[in-house]
């Protein structure tokens, strides 16, 4: 009996474990390009059929990829976008003009290639890379923005032979078991996407990584640092930033990278000369690309923000922004719904967590998650050691944690309203984060 779309997709998830769902278990991560190159060959080399922009980095690569795709789309190009992980629907990984890959295409592709895929024991990410590249080629996109899955040098997407531009957004300590234990070692892996004569753009200028990028690019490819460039739209950047529907303060750094990238791409994509179209595309990135979970406001009453930042490099910015919100009086208090994967460096994150917040720890529905009870224990242990207050609870699920946080916020608002003078009191703020899994389970709970 022939499998349905849902059954076939469930089989793929079960038969070919992903890093997203299973971490670095055997079979989930297969470094090296041999299998991907062979798959690309039997598919007819779709990786050579479109112009591409290749984007790597520890943090910011999803935002930069989506902003670039939105800018190109706004200028009238047919643009493919390949990103990971997905939050709710597998098809989020491949889009053209913001529209997800059709179920019918996914079904036909998997049904056709499943025997070959099984015979060659591909990884989940190799399958999805081949699927996206073939769809982009069949649809004859003008350009495709391709986000690296993990690292760069050995990532499946690195079969791209001659992109128009290679971008490395930032370098932080994440996935150290595979990429290296130091920032320079990880930078070397990310710089593995550099190609001969292809311009390389570095988003974050860090003294630790400068020698690595200089060595990798020496007599090899033109190297640019966003911090050293003054992009043609720089005078308009404050207005763009103020109007952007990507609300995190860290987007200021990503915006500069994107604006420099636009200048570097103008010779290839002449319509990027249209400054108004570029600005409009960047401003409406979240709307145009249906880009979710990046400092996304899920509710106004109570006020809820969700963000998938999951490592110390990203959370340093997020937690600092939350504290500024409260210190500036925009919100009266902070409630944080938080969950984390067991393989993340919690010891590096604990010192960054806002002191004057109430925490509700949750365990998302994945075997990769650190149990909420263990997270609570380690949090309290750290706070006791440092002599810090610890208003913390744990719940059995993300849904329960969100319900607890919402009720707590409503109770606090009621108390504030009763005790307030004529002036409307600032409301509490709920932040949901720590993991893409936590955010993915929270999104459907809000309209």
């Amino acid at each position: 009996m022939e499998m349905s779309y849902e059954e076939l997709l469930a089989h793929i998830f079960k038969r070919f474990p992903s890093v997203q769902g299973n971490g670095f278990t055997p079979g989930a991560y297969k470094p090296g390009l041999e299998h991907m190159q062979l798959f690309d060959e039997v598919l007819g080399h779709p990786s050579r059929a479109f112009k591409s922009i290749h984007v790597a980095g520890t943090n910011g690569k999803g935002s930069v990829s989506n902003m670039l795709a939105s800018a190109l789309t706004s200028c009238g190009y047919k643009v493919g976008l390949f990103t990971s992980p997905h939050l709710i629907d597998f098809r989020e990984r491949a889009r053209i003009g913001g529209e997800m890959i059709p179920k019918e295409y996914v079904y036909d592709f998997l049904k056709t290639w499943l025997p070959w895929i099984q015979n060659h024991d591909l990884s989940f990410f190799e399958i999805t890379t081949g699927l996206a590249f073939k769809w982009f080629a069949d649809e004859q996109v003008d350009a495709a923005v391709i986000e690296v899955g993990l690292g760069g040098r050995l990532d499946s997407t690195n079969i791209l032979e001659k992109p128009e531009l290679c971008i490395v957004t930032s370098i932080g300590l994440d996935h150290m078991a595979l990429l290296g234990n130091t920032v320079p070692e990880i930078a070397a892996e990310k710089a593995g996407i550099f190609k001969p004569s292809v311009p390389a753009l570095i988003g974050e200028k860090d003294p630790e990584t400068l020698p690595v990028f200089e060595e990798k690019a020496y007599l090899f490819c033109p190297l640019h640092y966003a911090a050293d460039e003054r992009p043609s739209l720089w005078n308009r950047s404050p207005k763009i930033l103020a109007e952007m529907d990507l609300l995190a303060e860290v987007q200021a750094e990503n915006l500069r990278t994107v604006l420099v990238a636009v200048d570097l791409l103008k010779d290839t994509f002449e319509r990027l000369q249209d400054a108004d179209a570029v600005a409009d595309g960047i401003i409406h990135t979240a709307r145009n690309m249906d880009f979710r979970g990046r400092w996304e406001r899920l509710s106004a009453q109570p006020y809820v923000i969700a963000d998938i930042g999951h490592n110390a490099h990203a959370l340093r910015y997020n937690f600092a922004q939350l504290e500024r919100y409260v210190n500036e009086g925009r919100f009266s208090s902070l409630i944080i719904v938080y969950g984390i994967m067991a393989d993340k460096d919690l010891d590096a994150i604990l010192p960054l967590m806002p002191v004057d917040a109430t925490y509700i720890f949750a365990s998302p529905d994945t075997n990769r998650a650190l149990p909420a009870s263990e997270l609570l224990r380690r949090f309290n242990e750290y706070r006791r050691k440092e002599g810090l207050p610890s208003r913390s609870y744990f719940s059995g699920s993300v849904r329960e944690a969100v319900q607890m946080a919402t009720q707590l916020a409503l109770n606090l608002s009621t108390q504030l309203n009763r005790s307030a003078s004529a002036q409307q009191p600032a409301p509490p703020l709920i932040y949901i984060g720590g993991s893409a899994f936590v955010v993915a389970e929270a999104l459907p709970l809000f309209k």
Side-chain angles (χ1 to χ4, degrees):
M1 184 176 179
E2 194 170 87
M3 287 187 284
S4 66
Y5 169 83
E6 289 76 15
E7 291 169 335
L8 182 56
L9 204 58
H11 173 74
I12 293 293
F13 276 107
K14 184 177 180 180
R15 171 66 178 77
F16 305 95
S18 68
V19 171
Q20 179 181 355
N22 298 272
F24 303 110
T25 56
Y29 176 66
K30 295 180 178 178
L33 303 179
E34 295 81 8
H35 283 84
M36 192 65 236
Q37 288 167 334
L38 182 58
F39 194 30
D40 188 59
E41 181 181 343
V42 301
L43 291 174
H45 292 295
S47 68
R48 304 175 185 175
F50 48 82
K51 296 175 180 177
S52 62
I53 299 102
H54 204 188
V55 186
T58 302
N59 294 303
K61 63 182 184 292
S63 294
V64 167
S65 296
N66 276 268
M67 290 161 72
L68 271 176
S70 188
L72 284 160
T73 300
S74 182
C75 289
Y77 291 106
K78 186 175 185 179
V79 183
L81 175 65
F82 179 58
T83 60
S84 60
H86 64 274
L87 293 179
I88 298 173
D89 190 325
F90 165 78
R91 297 182 299 130
E92 296 168 26
R93 292 170 178 256
R95 299 178 184 270
I96 294 178
E99 297 295 323
M100 292 189 293
I101 185 171
K103 284 185 178 181
E104 295 77 14
Y105 191 95
V106 175
Y107 181 75
D108 290 342
F109 180 91
L110 294 178
K111 190 171 64 171
T112 299
W113 291 101
L114 185 58
W116 192 95
I117 289 168
Q118 291 182 148
N119 288 339
H120 292 80
D121 197 27
L122 296 190
S123 70
F124 177 87
F125 193 72
E126 287 168 337
I127 297 169
T128 57
T129 303
L131 166 66
F133 284 13
K134 186 68 167 68
W135 183 47
F136 296 158
D138 288 349
E139 288 294 317
Q140 298 181 320
V141 298
D142 299 312
V145 182
I146 308 297
E147 180 191 0
V148 168
L150 183 67
R153 180 176 65 93
L154 300 176
D155 187 76
S156 299
T157 63
N158 208 26
I159 62 167
L160 294 170
E161 294 180 347
K162 195 171 178 59
E164 305 303 317
L165 177 66
C166 296
I167 302 174
V168 178
T169 55
S170 67
I171 303 296
L173 295 175
D174 201 8
H175 304 303
M176 292 182 288
L178 296 168
L179 303 181
N181 294 315
T182 68
V183 166
E185 287 175 344
I186 294 172
E189 289 297 315
K190 308 286 186 185
I193 67 169
F194 291 1
K195 301 294 188 302
S197 302
V198 175
L201 172 61
I202 311 302
E204 182 181 65
K205 194 171 185 181
D206 182 343
E208 280 194 273
T209 61
L210 283 175
V212 176
F213 293 133
E214 297 287 346
E215 179 184 353
K216 292 290 183 181
Y218 181 65
L219 298 180
F220 183 60
C221 63
L223 185 62
H224 303 264
Y225 293 96
D228 293 342
E229 305 279 339
R230 186 174 177 82
S232 57
L233 285 179
W234 189 241
N235 288 338
R236 298 178 62 166
S237 62
K239 187 174 187 297
I240 294 172
L241 192 61
E243 297 180 7
M244 278 173 58
D245 56 10
L246 296 178
L247 305 176
E249 292 174 0
V250 72
Q251 296 298 355
E253 296 181 18
N254 293 330
L255 174 61
R256 184 168 197 140
T257 302
V258 170
L259 294 181
V260 174
V262 165
D263 283 351
L264 293 171
L265 291 167
K266 282 179 179 177
D267 287 344
T268 304
F269 302 105
E270 293 183 359
R271 293 180 212 162
L272 288 176
Q273 302 283 352
D274 186 340
D276 290 337
V278 169
D280 186 73
I282 294 171
I283 287 168
H284 298 110
T285 295
R287 182 194 70 187
N288 292 348
M289 310 313 295
D290 195 24
F291 187 41
R292 307 291 309 275
R294 275 71 172 184
W295 207 263
E296 181 178 356
R297 193 184 78 170
L298 302 183
S299 169
Q301 291 183 335
Y303 203 100
V304 181
I305 290 172
D307 190 274
I308 67 168
H310 56 271
N311 53 47
H313 189 268
L315 290 169
R316 184 183 306 277
Y317 291 96
N318 288 7
F319 289 149
Q321 185 169 346
L322 292 172
E323 289 183 301
R324 276 194 296 274
Y325 278 178
V326 176
N327 292 338
E328 292 167 359
R330 296 174 60 177
F331 298 94
S332 60
S333 57
L334 179 58
I335 304 165
I336 296 179
V337 174
Y338 190 84
I340 189 172
M341 298 299 101
D343 60 348
K344 298 304 173 186
D345 187 0
L346 181 58
D347 290 337
I349 294 169
L350 287 171
L352 306 176
M353 300 176 82
V355 172
D356 295 320
T358 299
Y359 292 86
I360 303 173
F361 297 119
S363 298
D365 187 19
T366 170
N367 56 14
R368 289 183 58 200
L370 184 70
S373 57
E374 176 64 11
L375 179 53
L376 176 69
R377 184 191 68 77
R378 290 180 62 181
F379 175 84
N380 286 337
E381 185 179 82
Y382 171 80
R383 288 291 175 107
R384 282 194 298 271
K385 178 183 173 184
E386 298 297 322
L388 299 173
S390 178
R391 296 191 302 276
S392 55
Y393 311 89
F394 78 94
S395 68
S397 67
V398 171
R399 174 183 286 274
E400 291 176 9
V402 169
Q403 290 171 343
M404 289 172 62
T406 301
Q407 188 59 55
L408 178 57
L410 292 174
N411 292 343
L412 289 171
S413 294
T414 300
Q415 294 171 14
L416 287 169
N417 288 330
R418 284 175 181 168
S419 61
S421 58
Q423 186 176 359
Q424 183 71 21
L429 168 63
I430 298 173
Y431 172 85
I432 302 172
S435 166
F437 288 96
V438 174
V439 173
E441 291 184 25
L443 291 180
L445 305 178
F446 297 87
K447 293 182 181 179

